[in-house]
């Protein structure tokens, strides 16, 4: 039965045009970034950085390197936006449209309904992130050769890798990014379980993340970094570090999973107590 | 089939349902009447486990809705005013989705219900292309798919044209006749309730102000049409005998409590006064409803019957 309910949620989610806005926006942004990388000084700056550190730039200005470069702004800006948009819709849009009342006249428990919705949201997060990574790599491959990978994030990662190892880590980093997306979606989902408009749930989730990001950047809060979600969201970049910081990686992963469970439980408590009226 | 015992519901400080007692026996078409905000939809919400009662018990098919929701609603179908669907999906997909929340439905059952409601041939079209009437049929189909024994209809004719209202009315009667369903109908349309329901309850400001059969609503007044050769002397004699309390319009008399029309007939005939006609004056449901609303919730109005 749960499979049926999950299937229902996936039908509903992927049957809507607005679900695909995120995918379209990613492809557009990636194309623009590729053009910018190809035809502006962006590529020269990268070549200079590699040469300055004693590497042959021709070996590392590749499809994999460009894909990772393109990922950073998308992961910071677009992914949270679209994950929150879909998460905010999951319950609140159904309540707004009146279909939630139709569902809740049936003998399904609120917990089961929410669990099916949350699982569908997690599937969406995975698909969104894997598409993001897949299209980035494919588009970059049209313009750049398949060679070694160079990853650079100021203050975090500086690494060069052979193509095979780079691709393996690229896939791993996307799995971790999918966890990030599911946390963001879960946050918006939690708000949407309360009596509010879908847009309000999305805005609240994004505001919460923005406040986290701002506070994390204030020197006073340095010692409380572990309390801010963006600190743990950077887990996807850690996989490129050599050696892999397993302790930091696993602890961040546990925090993100715990955040997911917490937002689900808060949402469930709110939804359970709520009266559903037309 | 439906039992509400001392149910109260508050939204914040506002009391919207007050000490509601309701018993809908199996096999009835039961009407729930009341103005906007009288508490009908809240009461229905509580029956379907969508609204939590502040206190009291709500039982459907013998099961408490709050604690045994699955069992209570397993044989219930519901239709709400302006039924809402996933407009971007087909009618069939909507039915598959909604029915699966009760139990999976076989393709044969799906086909049977689609044909029964008259949607055959359009079930694969997107719901956004459906007319009001087709949406109403789809709503009916989703309610019937799990083979319910109880159908809860909250303003089912809302937004339909006169032809659609007529069709909905005929469908409700057909459901009751052919499938033997118990039906709870909440409606503003007094004529609809009058034509369909066997029993009604009237809500006013969250309180039940009347519950009884439709026949009772027609005969609550004691006015009797009395056509005799000499009205005034006959009235004088009837009053003297304590059989009537009042008279009006030269043809109506109000019977004294406990007096039947047979006693009036005997009295008049014994006086050898020619008697042409005697009949109880029947109120329309509209008259009855308006008189209930006007008398409000006064306990002395004699209208509250729990």
């Amino acid at each position: 039965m749960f499979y049926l309910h999950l299937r229902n949620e996936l039908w509903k989610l992927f049957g809507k045009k607005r679900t695909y806005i995120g995918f379209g926006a990613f492809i557009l942004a990636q194309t623009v970034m590729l053009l910018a990388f190809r035809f502006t000084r962006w590529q020269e700056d990268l070549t200079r950085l590699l040469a300055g550190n004693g590497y042959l730039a021709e070996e590392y200005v590749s499809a994999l390197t460009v894909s990772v470069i393109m990922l950073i702004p998308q992961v910071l800006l677009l992914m949270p936006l679209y994950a929150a948009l879909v998460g905010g819709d999951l319950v609140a849009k159904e309540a707004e449209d009146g279909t939630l009342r139709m569902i809740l006249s049936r003998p399904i428990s609120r917990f089961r309904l929410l669990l099916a919705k949350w699982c569908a949201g997690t599937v969406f997060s995975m698909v969104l992130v894997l598409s993001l990574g897949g299209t980035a790599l494919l588009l970059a491959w049209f313009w750049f050769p398949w060679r070694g990978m160079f990853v650079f994030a100021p203050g975090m990662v500086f690494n060069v890798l052979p193509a095979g190892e780079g691709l393996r880590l690229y896939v791993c980093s996307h799995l971790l990014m999918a966890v990030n997306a599911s946390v963001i979606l879960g946050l918006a989902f939690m708000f949407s379980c309360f009596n509010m408009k879908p847009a309000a749930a999305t805005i609240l989730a994004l505001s919460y993340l923005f406040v986290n990001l701002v506070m994390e950047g204030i020197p006073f809060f340095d010692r409380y970094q572990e309390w801010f979600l963006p600190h743990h969201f950077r887990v996807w970049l850690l996989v490129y570090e050599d050696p892999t910081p397993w302790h930091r990686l696993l602890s961040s992963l546990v925090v993100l999973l715990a955040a997911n469970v917490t937002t689900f439980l808060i949402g469930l408590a709110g939804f359970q107590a709520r009266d559903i009226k037309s | 089939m439906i039992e509400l015992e001392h149910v109260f519901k508050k939204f914040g400080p506002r009391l919207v349902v007050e000490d509601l007692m309701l018993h809908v026996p199996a096999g009835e078409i039961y009407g729930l009447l009341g103005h906007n905000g009288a508490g009908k939809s809240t009461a229905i919400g509580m029956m379907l486990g969508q609204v939590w009662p502040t206190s009291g018990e709500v039982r459907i098919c013998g099961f408490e809705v709050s604690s045994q929701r699955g069992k209570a609603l397993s044989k219930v179908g519901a239709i709400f005013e302006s039924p809402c669907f996933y407009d971007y999906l087909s009618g069939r997909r909507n039915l598959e989705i909604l029915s699966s929340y009760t139990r999976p439905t076989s393709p044969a059952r799906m086909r049977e219900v689609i044909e029964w409601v008259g949607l055959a041939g359009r079930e694969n079209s997107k719901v956004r292309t459906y007319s009001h009437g087709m949406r109403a049929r789809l709503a009916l189909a989703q309610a019937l798919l799990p083979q319910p024994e109880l159908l809860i209809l909250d303003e089912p004719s809302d937004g339909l044209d006169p032809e659609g209202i007529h069709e909905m009315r005929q469908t409700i009667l057909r459901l009751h006749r052919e499938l033997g369903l118990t039906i709870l109908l909440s409606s503003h349309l007094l004529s609809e309730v009058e034509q369909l329901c066997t029993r009604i309850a009237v809500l006013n400001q969250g309180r039940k102000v009347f519950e009884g059969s439709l026949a009772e609503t027609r005969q609550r007044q004691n006015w009797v049409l009395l056509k005799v050769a000499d009205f005034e002397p006959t009235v004088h004699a009837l009053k003297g005998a304590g059989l009537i309390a009042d008279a009006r319009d030269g043809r109506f008399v109000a019977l004294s409590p406990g007096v039947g029309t047979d006693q009036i007939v005997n009295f008049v005939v014994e006086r050898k006064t020619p008697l042409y006609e005697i009949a109880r004056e029947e109120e329309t449901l509209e008259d009855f409803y308006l008189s209930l609303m006007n008398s409000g919730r006064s306990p002395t109005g004699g209208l509250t019957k729990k």
Side-chain angles (χ1 to χ4, degrees), chain B residues 70 100 228 234 256 291:
Chain B
S100 73
V228 287
T234 308
S256 297
S291 72

Side-chain angles (χ1 to χ4, degrees), chain A residues 215-216 218-228:
Chain A
M215 287 174 78
E216 192 201 10
I218 298 171
F220 173 78
F221 291 106
D222 272 354
R223 73 194 92 160
Y224 303 114
Q225 280 207 334
E226 287 79 11
W227 290 93
F228 301 115

